[in-house]
Amino acid sequence: MNAQGRAQQLREQIAYHNHRYYTLDQPEISDASFDALLRELIDIETANPQLVTPDSPTQRVGGVASEKFAKVTHRQQMMSLGNVFDDAELSEFDERVRKSLNLEVAEYVCEPKMDGLAIELVYEHGRFVQGSTRGDGVIGEDVTPNLRTVRNLPLVLKEAPTLLEVRGEIFMRKADFAKMNKQREEAGEETFVNPRNSAAGALRQLDPRSTAARPLSLFVYELGTVEGVSFENHWKKLEWLEKAGFPVNSRRFRAKGLAHVREVYERLMGERHSLPYEIDGLVVKVDQEDHRRRLGQVSKTPRWAIAYKFPPEEAETVVENIAIQVGRTGALTPVANLKPVFVGGVTVTNATLHNEDELNRKDVRVGDWVFIRRAGDVIPEVVKVITSKRVGEPAKFAFPTQCPVCGTLVLKDPEKAVQRCPSETCPAKMAGRLRHFATRPAMDIDGLGDKLCEQLVATGAVKTQADLYKLDVAKLMALERLGEKSAQNLVDALERSKKTTLRRFIYALGIPQVGEATAKALAEHFRAVPALLAADVETLKAVKDVGPEVARSIFEFFAFDENKRMVHALLEAGVTPAPPEASTAGPFSGKTVVLTGTLSKMGRDQAKEEIERRGGKVSGSVSKKTDFLVAGAEAGSKLTKAKELGVRVLDEDAFAALLQS
Ligand code: IVH
């Protein structure tokens, strides 16, 4: 197809998706795919300027105001941001800025790019009078009554300039989204793909009571037309907005030059998943207002700001097959085999469907187009079927009634939604146990992956975890695809793993319901294997955080002769689990600590581990018994309470210093 034909095709596709996105709140493709279409069109039009038509979507910011709401003409156009996707493109932006302003080093303000909806709020003499969506940037929709329901939107300001147009983002916090989706699911209603779509839906409800029922939040970040105040730079503007009573993101950074911007970007990427809201990039803005004026705008985007996007975490692809995996507990997990797709920074070929109920609820069928999501290190999952793209009526997936590996009739766990293979000799279960045994938080045996575990079980070379220690280079080399070097490395790794800690050892056994935390508590309580083996249910219940159900599970595990034999065989093979060291006296020894806010340096789990390693206890709520509150960014009610009670508050730096001491 020639450029003209392709451009026309792209315009039609983009118009269609814009309509689905902005008017129907039912996107069919991910933001990344949409961006790709738009970018392709921009590229064609840049190379062939004669092909640009006045109605081309490249000439507009996005959607159109729908018929549902009254129209609002923005006093000043609501612009959109140009995107950059890598460091080279960021450098080009910086270069353009410096060249135009004739500067050695440019000064920026960096803010998280909130993944929500742009809105404009109008205040007259300090009172909220009108709020609107962006629409096409020129004309938006009047959603004032809906915006009034947003809890952190100030209706009256502490400052009262004649006119104030404020721009910001409406979004839904991750926790609020999860809660709302769960309620919808329980009520049999359709769930939302992500917080952004659910915020979009909520904002455009015709009845404000429906909006109020869906918890929305606001951050403001720019101004439109203002009368009665002015600012020399963006930083001061944000400070003023905060003082006036607006919610302004406290995660904002002044950056001098490109190197500093890069640092902020890396840092924010690292924090992305621990933040309570979704962000999809970093917005880099020139700080000085007169610089902004000098830079101006091109088409609908300012030349003084850019969005440095993060890799997308959602994508759509096709389900090529649905396979059933059998795990170490015998649980049958349906897995969607996908047409490979790049998402969350890696190429994903499989995504979990969790269990039979989940599969039925989502009604995923072979051949379907689906949204998939991979956030951070989380296992990729199928979020939703794109039903409008379903071709014909593919057969519903028939969940097997027999274990696909050993053929045993599966049993449904009455309490959980899980189907399990009950056979104690199922090779898939044994391979899963070996794999778990070898994982990093367990025995940490490098080189013992899924395939090898399956092979070791299938060939009969390994029947229990203890048999691993009988392997030698010759036996390993007899297996398919294992060279001498890998075999030797594995033997060395096995040897190294013998020296371990009791908590790792207990965790490695794969006792149902015993995760890392319980394994640690058990290690501290019993301090040696024989004491644990001998414990009855009552004794187990006395262990910190072990309830009756977990106690019974542990007891039953060791009551099973084969498990007991396996543990003894491991010890005989030379595995020596060391008891936990008694914690040394230090500032955290015997102290109760509460963590709050976002910790940017080490993350909560690590902070908790560091405290516990020093003999401290981490608790979830502040009380008179709390010794320290570690307050990260955006600490809220816990910080207020700690101050009220006179609890010692540590910021991140003070906390780090105390850990060192
Ligand atoms: S500034 C002219 N700051 O990104 C610049 N936008 O494509 C106006 N966004 O429509 C926007 N976080 O919905 C700005 N900290 C932030 C932002 C932000 C998210 C969104 C906003 C805007 C879109 C630009």
Side-chain angles (χ1 to χ4, degrees):
M1 193 183 293
N2 63 13
Q4 184 170 11
R6 178 64 184 154
Q8 191 47 36
Q9 192 180 46
L10 284 164
R11 275 180 208 129
E12 278 161 21
Q13 284 175 6
I14 290 166
Y16 170 78
H17 291 302
N18 260 338
H19 177 70
R20 295 214 53 109
Y21 189 100
Y22 288 99
T23 309
L24 306 179
D25 297 326
Q26 284 168 351
E28 232 165 50
I29 60 174
S30 64
D31 290 359
S33 308
F34 182 82
D35 285 349
L37 293 176
L38 197 60
R39 244 179 124 85
E40 189 184 342
L41 182 59
I42 292 171
D43 288 346
I44 295 178
E45 291 183 355
T46 315
N48 311 279
Q50 76 284 1
L51 292 182
V52 181
T53 57
D55 66 344
S56 171
T58 56
Q59 304 302 300
R60 283 205 324 214
V61 167
V64 276
S66 85
E67 298 300 318
K68 289 201 286 186
F69 298 94
K71 291 186 169 55
V72 174
T73 306
H74 303 297
R75 282 184 184 76
Q76 244 177 62
Q77 186 189 27
M78 285 181 79
M79 290 186 281
S80 105
L81 293 169
N83 292 327
V84 297
F85 296 91
D86 58 36
D87 194 65
E89 292 179 340
L90 177 73
S91 300
E92 284 169 26
F93 164 74
D94 177 63
E95 212 160 288
R96 276 198 306 274
V97 167
R98 285 187 295 111
K99 231 174 159 174
S100 308
L101 298 172
N102 203 4
L103 290 174
E104 284 281 317
V105 183
E107 286 174 22
Y108 299 107
V109 174
C110 302
E111 301 165 11
K113 185 166 184 330
M114 301 301 300
D115 199 4
L117 293 109
I119 45 102
E120 173 168 88
L121 309 169
V122 183
Y123 289 79
E124 285 171 7
H125 303 287
R127 289 186 175 274
F128 175 56
V129 294
Q130 190 178 57
S132 53
T133 62
R134 180 172 65 175
D136 65 2
V138 177
I139 298 174
E141 300 158 321
D142 186 338
V143 287
T144 313
N146 292 350
L147 283 169
R148 280 187 192 281
T149 71
V150 175
R151 263 161 289 213
N152 68 346
L153 182 147
L155 298 173
V156 181
L157 301 179
K158 295 188 189 116
E159 308 273 343
T162 331
L163 173 71
L164 192 67
E165 273 182 359
V166 189
R167 271 98 191 252
E169 199 88 351
I170 287 290
F171 60 95
M172 197 176 281
R173 292 177 164 257
K174 291 176 188 168
D176 289 334
F177 167 72
K179 204 164 114 195
M180 194 196 73
N181 246 2
K182 190 153 174 264
Q183 284 167 355
R184 290 182 75 89
E185 190 184 321
E186 280 162 10
E189 292 166 325
E190 209 187 332
T191 53
F192 288 103
V193 174
N194 55 34
R196 178 183 214 275
N197 290 129
S198 79
L203 192 59
R204 299 177 72 262
Q205 289 296 307
L206 283 175
D207 183 351
R209 280 171 301 185
S210 311
T211 309
R214 305 189 195 173
L216 295 176
S217 300
L218 167 74
F219 271 144
V220 303
Y221 44 64
E222 283 296 337
L223 291 176
T225 305
V226 289
E227 286 163 22
V229 264
S230 67
F231 304 96
E232 71 186 84
N233 64 41
H234 184 62
W235 191 260
K236 286 194 178 153
K237 185 196 305 165
L238 295 178
E239 282 178 340
W240 183 88
L241 283 166
E242 202 159 44
K243 216 171 75 205
F246 286 105
V248 182
N249 200 340
S250 62
R251 292 214 115 20
R252 52 180 188 255
F253 311 86
R254 271 190 135 152
K256 249 192 155 117
L258 203 55
H260 202 167
V261 173
R262 289 193 187 111
E263 242 171 67
V264 174
Y265 178 82
E266 292 301 328
R267 178 163 168 196
L268 204 62
M269 274 265 261
E271 287 175 4
R272 185 178 187 183
H273 299 112
S274 51
L275 292 174
Y277 42 75
E278 295 210 328
I279 59 174
D280 59 347
L282 181 73
V283 184
V284 183
K285 302 174 173 178
V286 169
D287 192 21
Q288 298 297 329
E289 289 296 332
D290 64 322
H291 286 169
R292 289 188 177 192
R293 272 189 291 275
R294 276 160 61 194
L295 286 160
Q297 67 184 78
V298 205
S299 171
K300 312 297 184 254
T301 58
R303 293 177 67 220
W304 45 262
I306 201 90
Y308 188 0
K309 297 289 285 266
F310 291 153
E313 297 190 322
E314 273 166 16
E316 77 255 30
T317 186
V318 178
V319 175
E320 291 180 333
N321 187 29
I322 296 172
I324 299 288
Q325 273 175 7
V326 184
R328 70 184 162 92
T329 63
L332 268 57
T333 307
V335 175
N337 302 146
L338 308 166
K339 181 159 171 271
V341 60
F342 192 73
V343 61
V346 297
T347 300
V348 168
T349 50
N350 292 309
T352 182
L353 289 159
H354 301 288
N355 55 51
E356 185 184 12
D357 287 1
E358 187 82 0
L359 173 66
N360 287 340
R361 191 175 64 72
K362 289 182 177 155
D363 189 20
V364 181
R365 307 185 191 182
V366 174
D368 273 344
W369 277 88
V370 288
F371 269 118
I372 67 152
R373 181 175 167 83
R374 177 185 182 271
D377 294 331
V378 180
I379 306 169
E381 68 166 342
V382 172
V383 180
K384 200 179 165 133
V385 173
I386 308 171
T387 31
S388 60
K389 282 201 186 178
R390 185 174 274 173
V391 186
E393 187 67 10
K396 257 189 184 296
F397 181 76
F399 209 85
T401 51
Q402 291 181 320
C403 172
V405 178
C406 70
T408 309
L409 228 45
V410 297
L411 295 177
K412 184 140 183 163
D413 190 324
E415 269 140 65
K416 305 196 178 75
V418 189
Q419 306 269 25
R420 283 182 208 280
C421 166
S423 162
E424 275 313 318
T425 52
C426 174
K429 282 166 80 169
M430 193 58 231
R433 284 181 201 144
L434 288 184
R435 182 68 205 111
H436 171 77
F437 187 78
T439 52
R440 191 160 297 162
M443 300 298 278
D444 193 13
I445 305 165
D446 226 13
L448 193 56
D450 291 338
K451 281 272 164 299
L452 189 53
C453 289
E454 280 168 25
Q455 253 187 45
L456 288 168
V457 174
T459 56
V462 170
K463 291 197 176 63
T464 81
Q465 290 89 324
D467 292 342
L468 285 171
Y469 293 97
K470 293 183 196 146
L471 294 171
D472 55 31
V473 173
K475 275 191 200 147
L476 283 168
M477 280 178 66
L479 296 170
E480 232 177 297
R481 285 199 303 260
L482 205 66
E484 186 171 356
K485 183 117 181 39
S486 322
Q488 185 59 55
N489 286 346
L490 182 55
V491 170
D492 293 346
L494 280 162
E495 194 54 38
R496 273 197 306 277
S497 75
K498 287 181 179 171
K499 221 176 137 238
T500 186
T501 60
L502 185 56
R503 62 188 278 192
R504 280 174 174 275
F505 182 78
I506 296 171
Y507 174 65
L509 296 177
I511 306 166
Q513 310 203 52
V514 175
E516 283 180 78
T518 308
K520 176 169 181 280
L522 291 168
E524 274 159 9
H525 190 96
F526 293 104
R527 307 195 61 79
V529 175
L532 174 62
L533 288 185
D536 58 18
V537 174
E538 285 311 308
T539 318
L540 287 162
K541 273 188 348 204
V543 179
K544 184 183 77 176
D545 296 334
V546 172
E549 205 191 318
V550 178
R552 177 141 297 280
S553 171
I554 301 167
F555 179 77
E556 281 172 3
F557 183 87
F558 291 119
F560 196 55
D561 266 346
E562 279 185 32
N563 288 335
K564 233 183 290 181
R565 266 203 297 277
M566 178 259 292
V567 172
H568 287 302
L570 283 168
L571 299 178
E572 274 155 31
V575 175
T576 45
E581 286 166 34
S583 52
T584 51
F588 291 108
S589 167
K591 297 283 197 270
T592 301
V593 186
V594 175
L595 303 172
T596 191
T598 311
L599 299 179
S600 57
K601 293 206 182 92
M602 56 170 70
R604 276 198 185 204
D605 289 345
Q606 199 196 337
K608 183 162 181 264
E609 206 180 304
E610 299 288 344
I611 293 164
E612 287 174 351
R613 211 152 22 127
R614 288 164 177 76
K617 203 179 114 197
V618 173
S619 147
S621 57
V622 177
S623 73
K624 275 183 290 189
K625 288 187 199 137
T626 311
D627 295 293
F628 296 105
L629 177 82
V630 177
E634 282 168 34
S637 60
K638 286 183 191 165
L639 180 57
T640 320
K641 183 146 184 214
K643 283 182 179 158
E644 274 167 24
L645 294 173
V647 170
R648 190 163 158 207
V649 177
L650 301 173
D651 66 13
E652 266 208 272
D653 291 333
F655 173 55
L658 219 55
L659 284 178
Q660 297 285 316
S661 72

